[in-house]
Amino acid sequence: MTLNWQPTATVDTLRERARLIATVRAFFAARDIWEVETPVLGQGGSTDVHLVSLATLARTDKGQRKLWLQTSPEFHMKRLLAADSGPIFQLAKSFRDGEVGARHNIEFTMLEWYRPGFTLAQLIEETTALVAHVLPQSPGPVVHYRYRELFHRHLEVDPFTTSLETLRTLAAQRGNMSAQALAEEGRDTCLDLLMGMVIEPTLGQQELSVVVDYPASQAALARRHRDADGEWVASRFELYMNGIELANGYDELTDAEEQRQRFDADNAERRRLGLTEVEVDAHLLAALEQGLPASSGVALGLDRLIQLALGKARLEEVLAFSTANC
């Protein structure tokens, strides 16, 4: 049998990819944000129940130990922030098991940057400026949406107050699944399904859509605050174009004890769902205890942005070799 050794993307596309990456680097250089490199392997992984981390056994000076392929460079970059790095960015190879499809690849390039002293509003402005800088045509106006308002508009439910049973039923109906398939799923899983199946495809059509005020339970590594309705929400945003999620930004959590509690809660949920527990990154917690400056940070899927810029239907068309062909 003859193996298909050819690149997934054409050589011309890869040259365009290189040009766009140079454009990204120039954008940050002009703003005096310096580029860093951090390890692909870490002593802890992502405890997020919606992510599947990959791990490997490595022989070290302390014997054989489990190391985790990073789902993003966030933990290491925050350690640099705690060491007084100032504003930094990185083009990082990241890994998320099982993520395969038109917009996914198990190995992908994450563009992540951090801005000490920036508000979330300032980071949103910078993120939308970068996207407009890279795309060949204007992406249109920037339109802001509140998470709650989107659920009212598209599903006629309140994501904060509607019963879990109703959300399970609705998610099963919209996803063409049996109710039994979601019988053990929690509130956030149902909301994520509804967001992905119903709301996300409508976002970013002729505009850049910014979604804010996610439920506090979806804060991940972000701070929390009360919204205009007095509800506790996550201090984060997501950016969409053409129904595709491009970026996820946070007003970064700096409290080490709260971060430890969130990691523990994630692993407790993993145990409840029968998922593998993930080792907590103790180095990150130590850095937070030392002191992380007030910062905002954002992770942007660079491959997706390049896919949009070049008008490609599938992510693999802008990768030298997709996971299926590596």
Side-chain angles (χ1 to χ4, degrees):
M1 183 180 72
T2 302
L3 290 176
N4 179 14
W5 57 267
Q6 293 279 358
T8 311
T10 67
V11 171
D12 285 344
T13 295
L14 294 176
R15 286 198 177 101
E16 282 299 293
R17 179 187 175 97
R19 179 186 64 79
L20 292 172
I21 288 174
T23 298
V24 168
R25 285 193 161 106
F27 177 89
F28 288 110
R31 292 170 181 246
D32 201 25
I33 305 171
W34 61 288
E35 184 172 4
V36 299
E37 294 179 291
T38 60
V40 168
L41 291 172
Q43 295 180 25
S46 173
T47 59
D48 189 325
V49 296
H50 300 295
L51 298 180
V52 183
S53 298
L54 288 165
T56 186
L57 291 177
R59 289 176 294 174
T60 73
D61 59 342
K62 297 179 181 178
Q64 190 177 68
R65 66 177 305 169
K66 194 176 196 178
L67 295 177
W68 299 85
L69 288 163
Q70 300 298 280
T71 57
S72 92
E74 180 170 5
F75 294 173
H76 287 109
M77 292 183 77
K78 284 183 173 178
R79 289 166 64 183
L80 290 176
L81 289 173
D84 201 25
S85 66
I88 52 177
F89 83 96
Q90 181 170 188
L91 302 173
K93 287 297 182 182
S94 303
F95 303 82
R96 297 180 182 182
D97 197 15
E99 297 201 1
V100 179
R103 301 173 185 173
H104 296 87
N105 197 60
I106 291 173
E107 177 183 351
F108 60 98
T109 302
M110 183 80 85
L111 167 59
E112 196 152 325
W113 74 98
Y114 291 87
R115 283 293 222 157
F118 256 42
T119 65
L120 204 60
Q122 288 174 304
L123 188 63
I124 290 171
E125 183 178 352
E126 185 163 74
T127 305
T128 55
L130 170 69
V131 171
H133 185 69
V134 171
L135 294 179
Q137 297 178 332
S138 171
V142 179
V143 181
H144 291 246
Y145 298 96
R146 293 179 65 205
Y147 185 91
R148 177 179 238 156
E149 292 170 349
L150 288 171
F151 273 80
H152 279 301
R153 179 184 305 174
H154 294 282
L155 291 158
E156 298 182 341
V157 296
D158 190 308
F160 295 92
T161 61
T162 299
S163 71
L164 175 56
E165 190 57 40
T166 298
L167 292 176
R168 284 174 176 161
T169 300
L170 189 57
Q173 291 172 347
R174 290 304 186 106
N176 292 319
M177 296 179 282
S178 67
Q180 186 177 2
L182 297 176
E184 299 299 320
E185 297 296 347
R187 187 177 200 86
D188 284 328
T189 297
C190 295
L191 291 174
D192 283 346
L193 286 170
L194 291 167
M195 183 73 176
M197 292 183 297
V198 180
I199 299 173
E200 284 185 359
T202 72
L203 298 173
Q205 307 299 335
Q206 310 303 318
E207 63 182 42
L208 281 176
S209 297
V210 176
V211 182
V212 298
D213 290 351
Y214 285 76
S217 56
Q218 298 181 26
L221 279 78
R223 294 177 186 265
R224 295 166 176 160
H225 69 274
R226 289 194 184 275
D227 67 3
D229 301 313
E231 194 83 48
W232 280 104
V233 295
S235 301
R236 58 176 284 208
F237 74 90
E238 290 196 0
L239 177 67
Y240 291 87
M241 184 176 177
N242 291 356
I244 298 174
E245 179 200 337
L246 281 180
N248 190 0
Y250 296 156
D251 180 0
E252 301 295 344
L253 180 64
T254 59
D255 186 299
E257 184 54 35
E258 183 175 350
Q259 186 61 75
R260 182 179 288 105
Q261 291 172 5
R262 292 192 194 180
F263 283 154
D264 290 344
D266 282 348
N267 271 327
E269 180 67 3
R270 283 180 165 274
R271 289 192 297 272
R272 187 187 73 82
L273 295 172
L275 302 175
T276 301
E277 288 190 53
V278 176
E279 292 180 50
V280 169
D281 192 320
H283 288 93
L284 172 65
L285 294 175
L288 293 178
E289 288 171 352
Q290 174 66 29
L292 184 73
S295 307
S296 288
V298 60
L300 184 148
L302 185 65
D303 302 319
R304 289 185 181 181
L305 181 58
I306 292 172
Q307 180 186 358
L308 284 172
L310 300 183
K312 301 299 183 181
R314 296 184 62 84
L315 200 72
E316 62 188 19
E317 295 180 74
V318 300
L319 304 176
F321 300 97
S322 68
T323 301
N325 195 36
C326 64

